[in-house]
Amino acid sequence: QVQLEQSGGEVKKPGSSVKVSCKASEGTFNNYGISWVRQARGQGLEWVGSILPLFDITNYAQRFKGRVTFTADKSTTTVFMEVNSLRSDDTAIYYCATDGIMDYWGRGTLVTVSS
Amino acid sequence: DIVMTQSPDSLAVSLGERATISCRSSQSVLNTSDNRNYLAWYRQKPRQPPTLLIYWASTREFGVSDRISGSGSGTDFTLIISSLQAADVAVYYCQQYHMTPWTFGQGTKVEIK
């Protein structure tokens, strides 16, 4: 069964970093890529990038390259998204989802960036 | 990047009537090697993550009502809800997974008239 469990909400200052986790079931971790998608309040869906966790292969949307890093911990079947140099417009719900055809989604992690 | 454009941005439909949403891509999402359109549709209800409705442009996800159907090829796609029910009130998104970056339409809000 595919499950994606995300970490809880975060409040961060501008310029700081945040690391969000997405724990996958073992089958999901070994067989699926994981995408990260964000959604600002009242706005649409924006793909941040993806990771193939078994091989640590990452793919970032151009606008996030250099500021976002995806990693995977095979021992806990968890993938992580770290966002650096946070700005107020990074305030959003961040979802992890199965890559490509997004048939499974986490419940989302609200990241609030505020001074 | 492939730009996805939905129309309309919102629509109000009477219960039991048909709702039609269009999605156009800036370039074809048809993969000629497998003859599949790399196009999905999602529904998002308030305070919930999106849920997959349709993939390969017309394949209904397991458990999705047969009132919901997808069609189209190349750059023009349509999602139809054949008989609108209260549970269908949501925002609907199309998404291409033909080439990265994966991109979504801006969303179409469906309400009851």
Side-chain angles (χ1 to χ4, degrees), chain A residues 89-107:
Chain A
D89 62 359
D90 290 318
T91 295
I93 297 173
Y94 289 78
Y95 295 103
C96 59
T98 46
D99 193 29
I101 301 171
M102 299 180 191
D103 46 354
Y104 294 96
W105 294 68
R107 296 198 60 79

Side-chain angles (χ1 to χ4, degrees), chain A residues 17-75:
Chain A
S17 298
V18 68
K19 194 169 186 176
V20 179
S21 67
C22 173
K23 180 173 174 55
S25 57
E26 185 173 354
T28 304
F29 190 91
N30 290 334
N31 294 296
Y32 289 85
I34 299 294
S35 266
W36 290 91
V37 175
R38 77 176 189 180
Q39 185 172 39
R41 185 181 180 91
Q43 302 299 307
L45 303 168
E46 181 178 25
W47 185 73
V48 178
S50 63
I51 182 169
L52 192 56
L54 196 59
F55 303 103
D56 290 318
I57 296 173
T58 57
N59 188 355
Y60 300 98
Q62 184 63 40
R63 64 175 293 188
F64 297 107
K65 280 182 181 176
R67 205 163 67 88
V68 173
T69 303
F70 303 137
T71 54
D73 183 339
K74 295 175 180 58
S75 66

